[in-house]
Amino acid sequence: MSLILHNFFRSSASVRVRAALHLKGIDYEHKSYVLREHEHKESNFLGLNPQGLVPALELNDGTVLTQSLVIMEYLDDAYPRHPLVPADRLDKAWVKSLACNVACDLHPLNNLRVLQYIGKELNQSEETVSIWFRHWVNETFTGLEQQLANDERRRTFCYGHQPGLADICLFAQVANNRRFNVDMTPYPIIESIYERCLQLPEFVDALPEKHPHAS
Amino acid sequence: MSLILHNFFRSSASVRVRAALHLKGIDYEHKSYVLREHEHKESNFLGLNPQGLVPALELNDGTVLTQSLVIMEYLDDAYPRHPLVPADRLDKAWVKSLACNVACDLHPLNNLRVLQYIGKELNQSEETVSIWFRHWVNETFTGLEQQLANDERRRTFCYGHQPGLADICLFAQVANNRRFNVDMTPYPIIESIYERCLQLPEFVDALPEKHPHAS
């Protein structure tokens, strides 16, 4: 019996968990939800995750884990192959803070539900929504590029020569940026890490367009 | 020499780290920034954290840790007294996912910089900004109340009878809600945990109004 990943093909947080599962070589099944049709707000899924947010990972014993960062940390604890964070306390904090810059400060502002609220409830144009999206990307990426430039622990990837938690978050975000024409010129290091990830099937297969239920 | 906490009295993420430091009984000094005067965007602080966000924790050797969740995890690794998360893998994932519901899904949307953007750039009224704030609180708290109601691990606090990471995030958020007249009636469990925290000096002393540089 394999793990069940409750997810949506385009969700950036779902891309992260898919990449983590692939990097660790863990088998899983998909259960897909179409967010625009609010399938994640129906009782079946709310029974699994009362927050009504994807992704959620269902373990063999029926336990459901939520929150992409937490799911990835659990996978790292339970499946030691290809560690996603370094063992050293300070290095771990550095990698996790890079990941949180994207996962806690940037992505939550550019979620589908937020963009929809701005369009519908605040009655803003599609162009204003795109400007909002790019504004928050630039706010975080400006500092992130600097952090990566300043730190000698960054090599091919955010930490050394193996992709991990920070690369996963960065990759999912840059992939997401494509839909909003974010100019990546000011971020050559971030772009180079994204390009390196694109050379690995574990990342490519996590992309929305590769999802078995992409539409 | 004690740790230096770079923080702002009212910042919710700063409240979290202050509460964690108090629970663990760790001495620290304050370096305060006034966000409305953009002191966190000046070169001194950007040199410490290129993201220009508080809190940041400066260690004795000059290492600077950022991101409140990461700082609290570091403190939990480095100072075992009063653990903030359970040792068991699944219990840890549960507590961390509760914390992330607030720290990754809710609070980032209600940050000062976001409320300012909606007011100034999107030209929305103070009332619309308040409605935005309450909307995202209610989105998360509805699910959170359910999660806490359904799980027998929740007792006096989110996990058992000792306050930890989830309680800290919940406490900082409910304290923040006071400024936006959030009706807590639908959330009796969340409110009861907040009230329990308010009985502990470690939490009370983390509140904005108790900060030595509150204004």
Side-chain angles (χ1 to χ4, degrees), chain A residues 51 53 67 70 73 77 92-93 96 101 104-105 108-109 113 124 140 144 147, chain B residues 51 53 67 70 73 77 92-93 96 100-101 104-105 108 113 124 140 144 147:
Chain A
Q51 290 292 340
L53 294 172
Q67 290 288 345
V70 175
E73 182 173 1
D77 282 348
K92 181 168 76 171
K96 287 199 165 186
N101 288 342
C104 306
D105 287 332
L109 296 166
R113 62 179 188 157
Q124 300 294 310
T140 293
L144 188 57
Q147 288 169 296
Chain B
Q51 291 292 339
L53 295 171
Q67 290 289 344
V70 176
E73 182 173 2
D77 283 349
K92 182 169 75 171
K96 286 199 164 186
C100 279
N101 288 341
C104 305
D105 287 331
R113 61 179 188 157
Q124 301 293 311
T140 294
L144 188 58
Q147 289 170 296

PDB file of all heavy atoms in Angstrom, chain A residues 51 53 67 70 73 77 92-93 96 101 104-105 108-109 113 124 140 144 147, chain B residues 51 53 67 70 73 77 92-93 96 100-101 104-105 108 113 124 140 144 147:
ATOM      1  N   GLN A  51      -8.887  22.361   7.326  1.00  0.00           N
ATOM      2  CA  GLN A  51      -8.465  23.632   6.731  1.00  0.00           C
ATOM      3  C   GLN A  51      -8.887  23.710   5.266  1.00  0.00           C
ATOM      4  O   GLN A  51      -8.878  24.791   4.683  1.00  0.00           O
ATOM      5  CB  GLN A  51      -6.948  23.812   6.833  1.00  0.00           C
ATOM      6  CG  GLN A  51      -6.441  24.052   8.246  1.00  0.00           C
ATOM      7  CD  GLN A  51      -6.868  25.396   8.820  1.00  0.00           C
ATOM      8  OE1 GLN A  51      -7.222  26.314   8.082  1.00  0.00           O
ATOM      9  NE2 GLN A  51      -6.873  25.501  10.130  1.00  0.00           N
ATOM     10  N   LEU A  53      -7.283  22.760   2.644  1.00  0.00           N
ATOM     11  CA  LEU A  53      -6.157  23.185   1.820  1.00  0.00           C
ATOM     12  C   LEU A  53      -5.347  21.965   1.390  1.00  0.00           C
ATOM     13  O   LEU A  53      -5.170  21.020   2.160  1.00  0.00           O
ATOM     14  CB  LEU A  53      -5.245  24.143   2.603  1.00  0.00           C
ATOM     15  CG  LEU A  53      -5.852  25.500   2.993  1.00  0.00           C
ATOM     16  CD1 LEU A  53      -4.902  26.252   3.927  1.00  0.00           C
ATOM     17  CD2 LEU A  53      -6.150  26.351   1.762  1.00  0.00           C
ATOM     18  N   GLN A  67       0.109  20.671   5.587  1.00  0.00           N
ATOM     19  CA  GLN A  67       1.138  21.720   5.519  1.00  0.00           C
ATOM     20  C   GLN A  67       2.398  21.179   4.822  1.00  0.00           C
ATOM     21  O   GLN A  67       3.104  20.328   5.378  1.00  0.00           O
ATOM     22  CB  GLN A  67       1.503  22.262   6.905  1.00  0.00           C
ATOM     23  CG  GLN A  67       0.404  23.085   7.538  1.00  0.00           C
ATOM     24  CD  GLN A  67       0.216  24.452   6.883  1.00  0.00           C
ATOM     25  OE1 GLN A  67       1.074  24.936   6.132  1.00  0.00           O
ATOM     26  NE2 GLN A  67      -0.913  25.072   7.120  1.00  0.00           N
ATOM     27  N   VAL A  70       5.634  20.836   6.772  1.00  0.00           N
ATOM     28  CA  VAL A  70       5.551  19.801   7.804  1.00  0.00           C
ATOM     29  C   VAL A  70       5.610  18.418   7.165  1.00  0.00           C
ATOM     30  O   VAL A  70       6.286  17.512   7.671  1.00  0.00           O
ATOM     31  CB  VAL A  70       4.255  19.984   8.630  1.00  0.00           C
ATOM     32  CG1 VAL A  70       4.089  18.852   9.633  1.00  0.00           C
ATOM     33  CG2 VAL A  70       4.247  21.337   9.320  1.00  0.00           C
ATOM     34  N   GLU A  73       9.162  17.722   6.239  1.00  0.00           N
ATOM     35  CA  GLU A  73       9.972  17.417   7.419  1.00  0.00           C
ATOM     36  C   GLU A  73       9.680  15.995   7.914  1.00  0.00           C
ATOM     37  O   GLU A  73      10.595  15.260   8.295  1.00  0.00           O
ATOM     38  CB  GLU A  73       9.691  18.433   8.530  1.00  0.00           C
ATOM     39  CG  GLU A  73      10.539  18.182   9.754  1.00  0.00           C
ATOM     40  CD  GLU A  73      10.399  19.280  10.812  1.00  0.00           C
ATOM     41  OE1 GLU A  73       9.630  20.228  10.599  1.00  0.00           O
ATOM     42  OE2 GLU A  73      11.064  19.172  11.842  1.00  0.00           O
ATOM     43  N   ASP A  77      12.254  12.823   8.247  1.00  0.00           N
ATOM     44  CA  ASP A  77      12.444  12.025   9.465  1.00  0.00           C
ATOM     45  C   ASP A  77      12.228  10.536   9.164  1.00  0.00           C
ATOM     46  O   ASP A  77      12.969   9.685   9.656  1.00  0.00           O
ATOM     47  CB  ASP A  77      11.423  12.433  10.548  1.00  0.00           C
ATOM     48  CG  ASP A  77      11.808  13.728  11.243  1.00  0.00           C
ATOM     49  OD1 ASP A  77      12.951  14.194  11.057  1.00  0.00           O
ATOM     50  OD2 ASP A  77      10.958  14.275  11.970  1.00  0.00           O
ATOM     51  N   LYS A  92      21.072  23.792   9.141  1.00  0.00           N
ATOM     52  CA  LYS A  92      19.646  23.466   9.017  1.00  0.00           C
ATOM     53  C   LYS A  92      18.795  24.731   9.135  1.00  0.00           C
ATOM     54  O   LYS A  92      17.873  24.951   8.339  1.00  0.00           O
ATOM     55  CB  LYS A  92      19.260  22.455  10.102  1.00  0.00           C
ATOM     56  CG  LYS A  92      17.822  22.024  10.054  1.00  0.00           C
ATOM     57  CD  LYS A  92      17.566  20.822  10.957  1.00  0.00           C
ATOM     58  CE  LYS A  92      17.505  21.214  12.425  1.00  0.00           C
ATOM     59  NZ  LYS A  92      17.055  20.116  13.298  1.00  0.00           N
ATOM     60  N   ALA A  93      19.136  25.569  10.105  1.00  0.00           N
ATOM     61  CA  ALA A  93      18.375  26.809  10.285  1.00  0.00           C
ATOM     62  C   ALA A  93      18.493  27.693   9.040  1.00  0.00           C
ATOM     63  O   ALA A  93      17.523  28.333   8.617  1.00  0.00           O
ATOM     64  CB  ALA A  93      18.858  27.564  11.527  1.00  0.00           C
ATOM     65  N   LYS A  96      16.360  26.120   6.219  1.00  0.00           N
ATOM     66  CA  LYS A  96      14.934  26.271   6.520  1.00  0.00           C
ATOM     67  C   LYS A  96      14.473  27.724   6.405  1.00  0.00           C
ATOM     68  O   LYS A  96      13.340  27.998   6.010  1.00  0.00           O
ATOM     69  CB  LYS A  96      14.632  25.718   7.914  1.00  0.00           C
ATOM     70  CG  LYS A  96      14.663  24.203   7.945  1.00  0.00           C
ATOM     71  CD  LYS A  96      13.913  23.668   9.161  1.00  0.00           C
ATOM     72  CE  LYS A  96      13.649  22.178   8.958  1.00  0.00           C
ATOM     73  NZ  LYS A  96      12.810  21.600  10.030  1.00  0.00           N
ATOM     74  N   ASN A 101      11.348  31.809   3.637  1.00  0.00           N
ATOM     75  CA  ASN A 101      11.202  33.077   2.921  1.00  0.00           C
ATOM     76  C   ASN A 101      10.178  32.930   1.796  1.00  0.00           C
ATOM     77  O   ASN A 101       9.365  33.821   1.555  1.00  0.00           O
ATOM     78  CB  ASN A 101      12.536  33.522   2.307  1.00  0.00           C
ATOM     79  CG  ASN A 101      13.522  34.000   3.359  1.00  0.00           C
ATOM     80  OD1 ASN A 101      13.144  34.311   4.480  1.00  0.00           O
ATOM     81  ND2 ASN A 101      14.801  34.040   3.004  1.00  0.00           N
ATOM     82  N   CYS A 104       6.612  30.983   3.735  1.00  0.00           N
ATOM     83  CA  CYS A 104       5.858  31.728   4.752  1.00  0.00           C
ATOM     84  C   CYS A 104       5.646  33.195   4.375  1.00  0.00           C
ATOM     85  O   CYS A 104       4.667  33.794   4.803  1.00  0.00           O
ATOM     86  CB  CYS A 104       6.554  31.665   6.111  1.00  0.00           C
ATOM     87  SG  CYS A 104       6.890  30.009   6.676  1.00  0.00           S
ATOM     88  N   ASP A 105       6.579  33.795   3.643  1.00  0.00           N
ATOM     89  CA  ASP A 105       6.445  35.224   3.378  1.00  0.00           C
ATOM     90  C   ASP A 105       5.917  35.544   1.986  1.00  0.00           C
ATOM     91  O   ASP A 105       5.284  36.578   1.781  1.00  0.00           O
ATOM     92  CB  ASP A 105       7.801  35.926   3.555  1.00  0.00           C
ATOM     93  CG  ASP A 105       8.193  36.037   5.015  1.00  0.00           C
ATOM     94  OD1 ASP A 105       7.282  36.093   5.856  1.00  0.00           O
ATOM     95  OD2 ASP A 105       9.402  36.063   5.302  1.00  0.00           O
ATOM     96  N   PRO A 108       2.176  32.504   0.403  1.00  0.00           N
ATOM     97  CA  PRO A 108       0.824  32.670   0.955  1.00  0.00           C
ATOM     98  C   PRO A 108       0.090  33.895   0.386  1.00  0.00           C
ATOM     99  O   PRO A 108      -1.133  33.918   0.341  1.00  0.00           O
ATOM    100  CB  PRO A 108       1.067  32.856   2.460  1.00  0.00           C
ATOM    101  CG  PRO A 108       2.393  32.210   2.712  1.00  0.00           C
ATOM    102  CD  PRO A 108       3.209  32.437   1.470  1.00  0.00           C
ATOM    103  N   LEU A 109       0.860  34.875  -0.060  1.00  0.00           N
ATOM    104  CA  LEU A 109       0.244  36.088  -0.612  1.00  0.00           C
ATOM    105  C   LEU A 109      -0.208  35.888  -2.044  1.00  0.00           C
ATOM    106  O   LEU A 109      -1.002  36.670  -2.564  1.00  0.00           O
ATOM    107  CB  LEU A 109       1.244  37.248  -0.545  1.00  0.00           C
ATOM    108  CG  LEU A 109       1.624  37.651   0.886  1.00  0.00           C
ATOM    109  CD1 LEU A 109       2.853  38.538   0.894  1.00  0.00           C
ATOM    110  CD2 LEU A 109       0.450  38.366   1.537  1.00  0.00           C
ATOM    111  N   ARG A 113      -6.505  31.442  -3.753  1.00  0.00           N
ATOM    112  CA  ARG A 113      -7.620  32.020  -2.983  1.00  0.00           C
ATOM    113  C   ARG A 113      -7.429  33.507  -2.717  1.00  0.00           C
ATOM    114  O   ARG A 113      -8.395  34.278  -2.668  1.00  0.00           O
ATOM    115  CB  ARG A 113      -7.821  31.257  -1.663  1.00  0.00           C
ATOM    116  CG  ARG A 113      -6.636  31.311  -0.725  1.00  0.00           C
ATOM    117  CD  ARG A 113      -6.873  30.567   0.586  1.00  0.00           C
ATOM    118  NE  ARG A 113      -5.752  30.831   1.500  1.00  0.00           N
ATOM    119  CZ  ARG A 113      -5.822  30.725   2.815  1.00  0.00           C
ATOM    120  NH1 ARG A 113      -6.944  30.354   3.393  1.00  0.00           N
ATOM    121  NH2 ARG A 113      -4.763  30.990   3.565  1.00  0.00           N
ATOM    122  N   GLN A 124     -10.637  44.182  -8.240  1.00  0.00           N
ATOM    123  CA  GLN A 124      -9.448  44.679  -8.932  1.00  0.00           C
ATOM    124  C   GLN A 124      -9.281  43.969 -10.283  1.00  0.00           C
ATOM    125  O   GLN A 124      -9.707  42.830 -10.450  1.00  0.00           O
ATOM    126  CB  GLN A 124      -8.204  44.431  -8.075  1.00  0.00           C
ATOM    127  CG  GLN A 124      -8.236  45.107  -6.721  1.00  0.00           C
ATOM    128  CD  GLN A 124      -8.205  46.624  -6.805  1.00  0.00           C
ATOM    129  OE1 GLN A 124      -7.359  47.190  -7.492  1.00  0.00           O
ATOM    130  NE2 GLN A 124      -9.139  47.281  -6.135  1.00  0.00           N
ATOM    131  N   THR A 140      10.502  39.394  -1.938  1.00  0.00           N
ATOM    132  CA  THR A 140      11.241  38.272  -1.344  1.00  0.00           C
ATOM    133  C   THR A 140      12.491  37.925  -2.142  1.00  0.00           C
ATOM    134  O   THR A 140      13.553  37.666  -1.574  1.00  0.00           O
ATOM    135  CB  THR A 140      10.323  37.033  -1.226  1.00  0.00           C
ATOM    136  OG1 THR A 140       9.296  37.321  -0.275  1.00  0.00           O
ATOM    137  CG2 THR A 140      11.106  35.811  -0.740  1.00  0.00           C
ATOM    138  N   LEU A 144      16.417  37.282  -1.195  1.00  0.00           N
ATOM    139  CA  LEU A 144      16.854  35.894  -1.366  1.00  0.00           C
ATOM    140  C   LEU A 144      18.096  35.820  -2.264  1.00  0.00           C
ATOM    141  O   LEU A 144      19.047  35.082  -1.966  1.00  0.00           O
ATOM    142  CB  LEU A 144      15.703  35.078  -1.963  1.00  0.00           C
ATOM    143  CG  LEU A 144      15.857  33.572  -2.070  1.00  0.00           C
ATOM    144  CD1 LEU A 144      16.134  32.932  -0.715  1.00  0.00           C
ATOM    145  CD2 LEU A 144      14.593  32.951  -2.688  1.00  0.00           C
ATOM    146  N   GLN A 147      20.920  36.894  -0.137  1.00  0.00           N
ATOM    147  CA  GLN A 147      21.286  35.857   0.845  1.00  0.00           C
ATOM    148  C   GLN A 147      22.104  34.757   0.179  1.00  0.00           C
ATOM    149  O   GLN A 147      23.101  34.290   0.730  1.00  0.00           O
ATOM    150  CB  GLN A 147      20.028  35.250   1.482  1.00  0.00           C
ATOM    151  CG  GLN A 147      19.325  36.194   2.441  1.00  0.00           C
ATOM    152  CD  GLN A 147      17.948  35.668   2.857  1.00  0.00           C
ATOM    153  OE1 GLN A 147      17.043  35.529   2.036  1.00  0.00           O
ATOM    154  NE2 GLN A 147      17.778  35.392   4.142  1.00  0.00           N
TER     155      GLN A 147
ATOM    156  N   GLN B  51      16.348  40.149   3.956  1.00  0.00           N
ATOM    157  CA  GLN B  51      14.901  40.192   3.743  1.00  0.00           C
ATOM    158  C   GLN B  51      14.285  41.431   4.397  1.00  0.00           C
ATOM    159  O   GLN B  51      13.146  41.791   4.084  1.00  0.00           O
ATOM    160  CB  GLN B  51      14.228  38.932   4.303  1.00  0.00           C
ATOM    161  CG  GLN B  51      14.537  37.656   3.531  1.00  0.00           C
ATOM    162  CD  GLN B  51      13.921  37.641   2.131  1.00  0.00           C
ATOM    163  OE1 GLN B  51      12.975  38.373   1.849  1.00  0.00           O
ATOM    164  NE2 GLN B  51      14.477  36.818   1.256  1.00  0.00           N
ATOM    165  N   LEU B  53      13.153  41.768   7.375  1.00  0.00           N
ATOM    166  CA  LEU B  53      11.980  41.402   8.169  1.00  0.00           C
ATOM    167  C   LEU B  53      12.411  41.040   9.586  1.00  0.00           C
ATOM    168  O   LEU B  53      13.458  40.423   9.786  1.00  0.00           O
ATOM    169  CB  LEU B  53      11.258  40.204   7.538  1.00  0.00           C
ATOM    170  CG  LEU B  53      10.624  40.427   6.166  1.00  0.00           C
ATOM    171  CD1 LEU B  53      10.135  39.110   5.572  1.00  0.00           C
ATOM    172  CD2 LEU B  53       9.465  41.424   6.242  1.00  0.00           C
ATOM    173  N   GLN B  67      13.417  34.185  10.452  1.00  0.00           N
ATOM    174  CA  GLN B  67      12.161  33.417  10.352  1.00  0.00           C
ATOM    175  C   GLN B  67      11.772  32.862  11.726  1.00  0.00           C
ATOM    176  O   GLN B  67      12.427  31.960  12.256  1.00  0.00           O
ATOM    177  CB  GLN B  67      12.275  32.263   9.332  1.00  0.00           C
ATOM    178  CG  GLN B  67      12.359  32.722   7.907  1.00  0.00           C
ATOM    179  CD  GLN B  67      11.031  33.292   7.377  1.00  0.00           C
ATOM    180  OE1 GLN B  67       9.972  33.090   7.972  1.00  0.00           O
ATOM    181  NE2 GLN B  67      11.100  34.008   6.277  1.00  0.00           N
ATOM    182  N   VAL B  70      11.754  29.108  12.313  1.00  0.00           N
ATOM    183  CA  VAL B  70      13.100  28.533  12.279  1.00  0.00           C
ATOM    184  C   VAL B  70      13.857  28.882  13.563  1.00  0.00           C
ATOM    185  O   VAL B  70      14.552  28.048  14.138  1.00  0.00           O
ATOM    186  CB  VAL B  70      13.862  29.037  11.033  1.00  0.00           C
ATOM    187  CG1 VAL B  70      15.296  28.538  11.040  1.00  0.00           C
ATOM    188  CG2 VAL B  70      13.138  28.607   9.761  1.00  0.00           C
ATOM    189  N   GLU B  73      12.588  26.670  16.289  1.00  0.00           N
ATOM    190  CA  GLU B  73      13.092  25.303  16.137  1.00  0.00           C
ATOM    191  C   GLU B  73      14.556  25.229  16.568  1.00  0.00           C
ATOM    192  O   GLU B  73      14.969  24.276  17.239  1.00  0.00           O
ATOM    193  CB  GLU B  73      12.946  24.848  14.683  1.00  0.00           C
ATOM    194  CG  GLU B  73      13.413  23.418  14.498  1.00  0.00           C
ATOM    195  CD  GLU B  73      13.123  22.873  13.105  1.00  0.00           C
ATOM    196  OE1 GLU B  73      12.586  23.619  12.256  1.00  0.00           O
ATOM    197  OE2 GLU B  73      13.464  21.702  12.866  1.00  0.00           O
ATOM    198  N   ASP B  77      16.231  22.989  19.586  1.00  0.00           N
ATOM    199  CA  ASP B  77      17.385  22.092  19.428  1.00  0.00           C
ATOM    200  C   ASP B  77      18.491  22.448  20.422  1.00  0.00           C
ATOM    201  O   ASP B  77      19.115  21.574  21.021  1.00  0.00           O
ATOM    202  CB  ASP B  77      17.985  22.229  18.010  1.00  0.00           C
ATOM    203  CG  ASP B  77      17.156  21.496  16.968  1.00  0.00           C
ATOM    204  OD1 ASP B  77      16.255  20.726  17.340  1.00  0.00           O
ATOM    205  OD2 ASP B  77      17.414  21.712  15.756  1.00  0.00           O
ATOM    206  N   LYS B  92       4.697  15.510  16.537  1.00  0.00           N
ATOM    207  CA  LYS B  92       5.438  16.707  16.123  1.00  0.00           C
ATOM    208  C   LYS B  92       4.824  17.298  14.854  1.00  0.00           C
ATOM    209  O   LYS B  92       4.626  18.513  14.748  1.00  0.00           O
ATOM    210  CB  LYS B  92       6.910  16.332  15.892  1.00  0.00           C
ATOM    211  CG  LYS B  92       7.779  17.497  15.496  1.00  0.00           C
ATOM    212  CD  LYS B  92       9.269  17.142  15.545  1.00  0.00           C
ATOM    213  CE  LYS B  92       9.691  16.279  14.375  1.00  0.00           C
ATOM    214  NZ  LYS B  92      11.144  16.088  14.286  1.00  0.00           N
ATOM    215  N   ALA B  93       4.513  16.418  13.905  1.00  0.00           N
ATOM    216  CA  ALA B  93       3.911  16.906  12.647  1.00  0.00           C
ATOM    217  C   ALA B  93       2.568  17.576  12.928  1.00  0.00           C
ATOM    218  O   ALA B  93       2.234  18.605  12.323  1.00  0.00           O
ATOM    219  CB  ALA B  93       3.744  15.745  11.661  1.00  0.00           C
ATOM    220  N   LYS B  96       3.244  20.999  14.601  1.00  0.00           N
ATOM    221  CA  LYS B  96       3.814  21.941  13.637  1.00  0.00           C
ATOM    222  C   LYS B  96       2.791  22.359  12.585  1.00  0.00           C
ATOM    223  O   LYS B  96       2.811  23.497  12.115  1.00  0.00           O
ATOM    224  CB  LYS B  96       5.036  21.312  12.969  1.00  0.00           C
ATOM    225  CG  LYS B  96       6.244  21.269  13.904  1.00  0.00           C
ATOM    226  CD  LYS B  96       7.533  21.098  13.128  1.00  0.00           C
ATOM    227  CE  LYS B  96       8.717  21.447  14.025  1.00  0.00           C
ATOM    228  NZ  LYS B  96       9.991  21.452  13.311  1.00  0.00           N
ATOM    229  N   CYS B 100       1.778  26.037  11.635  1.00  0.00           N
ATOM    230  CA  CYS B 100       1.862  26.540  10.253  1.00  0.00           C
ATOM    231  C   CYS B 100       0.523  27.069   9.748  1.00  0.00           C
ATOM    232  O   CYS B 100       0.498  27.967   8.903  1.00  0.00           O
ATOM    233  CB  CYS B 100       2.363  25.446   9.311  1.00  0.00           C
ATOM    234  SG  CYS B 100       4.150  25.257   9.328  1.00  0.00           S
ATOM    235  N   ASN B 101      -0.569  26.509  10.240  1.00  0.00           N
ATOM    236  CA  ASN B 101      -1.864  27.072   9.824  1.00  0.00           C
ATOM    237  C   ASN B 101      -1.897  28.571  10.107  1.00  0.00           C
ATOM    238  O   ASN B 101      -2.397  29.359   9.309  1.00  0.00           O
ATOM    239  CB  ASN B 101      -3.024  26.394  10.578  1.00  0.00           C
ATOM    240  CG  ASN B 101      -3.258  24.969  10.117  1.00  0.00           C
ATOM    241  OD1 ASN B 101      -2.825  24.580   9.036  1.00  0.00           O
ATOM    242  ND2 ASN B 101      -3.932  24.183  10.938  1.00  0.00           N
ATOM    243  N   CYS B 104       1.923  30.183   8.373  1.00  0.00           N
ATOM    244  CA  CYS B 104       2.119  30.149   6.923  1.00  0.00           C
ATOM    245  C   CYS B 104       0.858  30.542   6.149  1.00  0.00           C
ATOM    246  O   CYS B 104       0.961  31.054   5.034  1.00  0.00           O
ATOM    247  CB  CYS B 104       2.554  28.766   6.451  1.00  0.00           C
ATOM    248  SG  CYS B 104       4.012  28.146   7.281  1.00  0.00           S
ATOM    249  N   ASP B 105      -0.321  30.258   6.690  1.00  0.00           N
ATOM    250  CA  ASP B 105      -1.525  30.525   5.899  1.00  0.00           C
ATOM    251  C   ASP B 105      -2.249  31.797   6.302  1.00  0.00           C
ATOM    252  O   ASP B 105      -2.918  32.418   5.492  1.00  0.00           O
ATOM    253  CB  ASP B 105      -2.501  29.344   6.008  1.00  0.00           C
ATOM    254  CG  ASP B 105      -2.014  28.141   5.228  1.00  0.00           C
ATOM    255  OD1 ASP B 105      -1.305  28.337   4.229  1.00  0.00           O
ATOM    256  OD2 ASP B 105      -2.344  27.006   5.620  1.00  0.00           O
ATOM    257  N   PRO B 108       0.796  35.725   7.338  1.00  0.00           N
ATOM    258  CA  PRO B 108       1.444  36.452   6.233  1.00  0.00           C
ATOM    259  C   PRO B 108       0.486  37.373   5.479  1.00  0.00           C
ATOM    260  O   PRO B 108       0.916  38.363   4.887  1.00  0.00           O
ATOM    261  CB  PRO B 108       1.941  35.325   5.310  1.00  0.00           C
ATOM    262  CG  PRO B 108       2.063  34.133   6.193  1.00  0.00           C
ATOM    263  CD  PRO B 108       0.975  34.266   7.221  1.00  0.00           C
ATOM    264  N   ARG B 113       2.927  45.114   6.319  1.00  0.00           N
ATOM    265  CA  ARG B 113       3.270  45.516   4.946  1.00  0.00           C
ATOM    266  C   ARG B 113       2.147  45.198   3.959  1.00  0.00           C
ATOM    267  O   ARG B 113       1.930  45.926   2.997  1.00  0.00           O
ATOM    268  CB  ARG B 113       4.581  44.844   4.498  1.00  0.00           C
ATOM    269  CG  ARG B 113       4.525  43.338   4.472  1.00  0.00           C
ATOM    270  CD  ARG B 113       5.842  42.720   3.993  1.00  0.00           C
ATOM    271  NE  ARG B 113       5.667  41.277   3.818  1.00  0.00           N
ATOM    272  CZ  ARG B 113       6.392  40.507   3.053  1.00  0.00           C
ATOM    273  NH1 ARG B 113       7.402  41.015   2.365  1.00  0.00           N
ATOM    274  NH2 ARG B 113       6.163  39.226   2.932  1.00  0.00           N
ATOM    275  N   GLN B 124      -7.713  51.106  -0.790  1.00  0.00           N
ATOM    276  CA  GLN B 124      -8.894  50.601  -0.099  1.00  0.00           C
ATOM    277  C   GLN B 124      -9.060  51.304   1.250  1.00  0.00           C
ATOM    278  O   GLN B 124      -8.080  51.745   1.858  1.00  0.00           O
ATOM    279  CB  GLN B 124      -8.767  49.093   0.127  1.00  0.00           C
ATOM    280  CG  GLN B 124      -8.613  48.287  -1.145  1.00  0.00           C
ATOM    281  CD  GLN B 124      -9.857  48.304  -2.013  1.00  0.00           C
ATOM    282  OE1 GLN B 124     -10.952  48.071  -1.541  1.00  0.00           O
ATOM    283  NE2 GLN B 124      -9.670  48.607  -3.294  1.00  0.00           N
ATOM    284  N   THR B 140      -8.939  30.609   8.570  1.00  0.00           N
ATOM    285  CA  THR B 140      -8.047  29.667   9.266  1.00  0.00           C
ATOM    286  C   THR B 140      -8.631  29.185  10.582  1.00  0.00           C
ATOM    287  O   THR B 140      -8.558  28.002  10.915  1.00  0.00           O
ATOM    288  CB  THR B 140      -6.670  30.317   9.507  1.00  0.00           C
ATOM    289  OG1 THR B 140      -6.040  30.528   8.241  1.00  0.00           O
ATOM    290  CG2 THR B 140      -5.772  29.412  10.350  1.00  0.00           C
ATOM    291  N   LEU B 144      -9.159  25.518  12.288  1.00  0.00           N
ATOM    292  CA  LEU B 144      -8.319  25.276  13.471  1.00  0.00           C
ATOM    293  C   LEU B 144      -9.170  24.856  14.673  1.00  0.00           C
ATOM    294  O   LEU B 144      -8.818  23.926  15.412  1.00  0.00           O
ATOM    295  CB  LEU B 144      -7.528  26.554  13.783  1.00  0.00           C
ATOM    296  CG  LEU B 144      -6.453  26.492  14.866  1.00  0.00           C
ATOM    297  CD1 LEU B 144      -5.395  25.444  14.550  1.00  0.00           C
ATOM    298  CD2 LEU B 144      -5.782  27.879  15.014  1.00  0.00           C
ATOM    299  N   GLN B 147     -10.043  21.323  14.073  1.00  0.00           N
ATOM    300  CA  GLN B 147      -8.904  20.431  14.297  1.00  0.00           C
ATOM    301  C   GLN B 147      -8.676  20.199  15.787  1.00  0.00           C
ATOM    302  O   GLN B 147      -8.413  19.081  16.224  1.00  0.00           O
ATOM    303  CB  GLN B 147      -7.637  21.024  13.662  1.00  0.00           C
ATOM    304  CG  GLN B 147      -7.646  20.981  12.140  1.00  0.00           C
ATOM    305  CD  GLN B 147      -6.506  21.800  11.541  1.00  0.00           C
ATOM    306  OE1 GLN B 147      -6.456  23.019  11.709  1.00  0.00           O
ATOM    307  NE2 GLN B 147      -5.588  21.137  10.854  1.00  0.00           N
TER     308      GLN B 147
END
